[in-house]
Coordinates of all heavy atoms in Angstrom, one line a residue:
Chain O
A29 N 157.5 118.5 87.9 CA 158.2 119.7 87.3 C 157.5 121.0 87.7 O 158.2 122.1 87.8 CB 158.2 119.6 85.8
S30 N 156.2 121.0 88.0 CA 155.5 122.3 88.3 C 154.2 121.8 89.1 O 153.8 120.7 89.0 CB 155.2 123.1 87.1 OG 154.1 122.5 86.6
V53 N 160.2 130.8 95.8 CA 159.4 130.3 97.1 C 160.1 129.0 97.4 O 160.7 128.2 96.8 CB 158.0 130.0 96.7 CG1 157.2 131.2 96.7 CG2 157.8 129.1 95.6
Y84 N 141.7 128.9 86.4 CA 141.5 127.3 86.6 C 140.0 127.2 86.8 O 139.3 127.9 87.5 CB 142.2 127.0 87.9 CG 141.8 125.6 88.4 CD1 142.0 124.4 87.6 CD2 141.1 125.4 89.5 CE1 141.6 123.2 88.0 CE2 140.7 124.2 90.0 CZ 141.1 123.1 89.2 OH 140.5 121.9 89.6
T91 N 135.4 129.8 87.8 CA 136.8 129.9 87.3 C 137.5 130.7 88.5 O 136.9 131.7 89.1 CB 137.0 130.9 86.1 OG1 136.1 130.3 85.0 CG2 138.2 130.9 85.7
G127 N 146.5 126.5 107.0 CA 145.8 126.1 105.8 C 145.1 124.8 105.8 O 144.7 124.2 104.9
F255 N 124.5 121.2 118.4 CA 124.2 120.2 119.3 C 125.4 119.8 120.2 O 125.5 118.6 120.8 CB 123.7 118.9 118.5 CG 122.4 119.2 117.9 CD1 122.5 119.8 116.5 CD2 121.2 119.0 118.3 CE1 121.3 120.1 115.8 CE2 120.0 119.5 117.7 CZ 120.2 119.9 116.5
T263 N 142.3 112.2 109.8 CA 143.6 112.8 109.2 C 143.8 114.3 109.4 O 144.8 114.9 109.6 CB 143.5 112.5 107.6 OG1 143.4 111.1 107.4 CG2 144.8 113.0 106.8
S280 N 151.2 118.8 101.6 CA 151.1 117.6 100.8 C 150.2 116.6 101.5 O 149.8 116.9 102.7 CB 152.5 116.8 100.7 OG 152.9 116.4 102.1
V304 N 147.1 115.8 88.0 CA 146.6 114.4 88.1 C 147.4 113.4 87.1 O 147.7 112.4 87.5 CB 145.1 114.3 87.6 CG1 144.6 112.8 87.3 CG2 144.2 114.9 88.7
L308 N 149.0 109.9 88.4 CA 148.8 108.6 87.6 C 150.1 108.0 87.1 O 150.2 106.8 87.1 CB 147.7 108.8 86.6 CG 146.4 109.3 87.3 CD1 145.3 109.2 86.0 CD2 145.9 108.4 88.3
G344 N 141.7 113.1 98.6 CA 142.3 112.0 99.4 C 142.4 110.8 98.5 O 143.0 109.7 98.8
T347 N 140.3 107.9 91.9 CA 139.7 106.7 91.5 C 139.6 106.6 89.9 O 139.2 107.5 89.4 CB 138.2 106.5 92.1 OG1 138.3 106.7 93.4 CG2 137.8 105.1 91.7
V369 N 114.3 103.6 98.9 CA 113.8 103.9 100.2 C 114.5 103.3 101.4 O 114.9 103.9 102.4 CB 112.2 103.8 100.3 CG1 111.7 104.1 101.8 CG2 111.5 104.5 99.2
L397 N 108.2 119.2 97.5 CA 109.7 118.9 97.8 C 109.9 119.4 99.3 O 110.6 118.6 100.0 CB 110.5 119.8 96.9 CG 110.6 119.4 95.4 CD1 111.5 120.5 94.6 CD2 111.2 118.1 95.3
E398 N 109.3 120.3 99.8 CA 109.6 120.8 101.2 C 109.0 119.7 102.1 O 109.6 119.3 103.0 CB 108.9 122.1 101.5 CG 109.9 123.3 101.5 CD 109.1 124.6 101.7 OE1 107.9 124.6 101.8 OE2 109.9 125.6 101.8
A440 N 111.8 134.9 99.5 CA 112.3 135.8 100.6 C 112.4 137.2 100.3 O 112.1 138.1 100.9 CB 113.6 135.3 101.2

Side-chain angles (χ1 to χ4, degrees):
Chain O
S30 74
V53 288
Y84 164 68
T91 309
F255 297 90
T263 304
S280 72
V304 170
L308 294 188
T347 306
V369 177
L397 288 175
E398 263 180 354

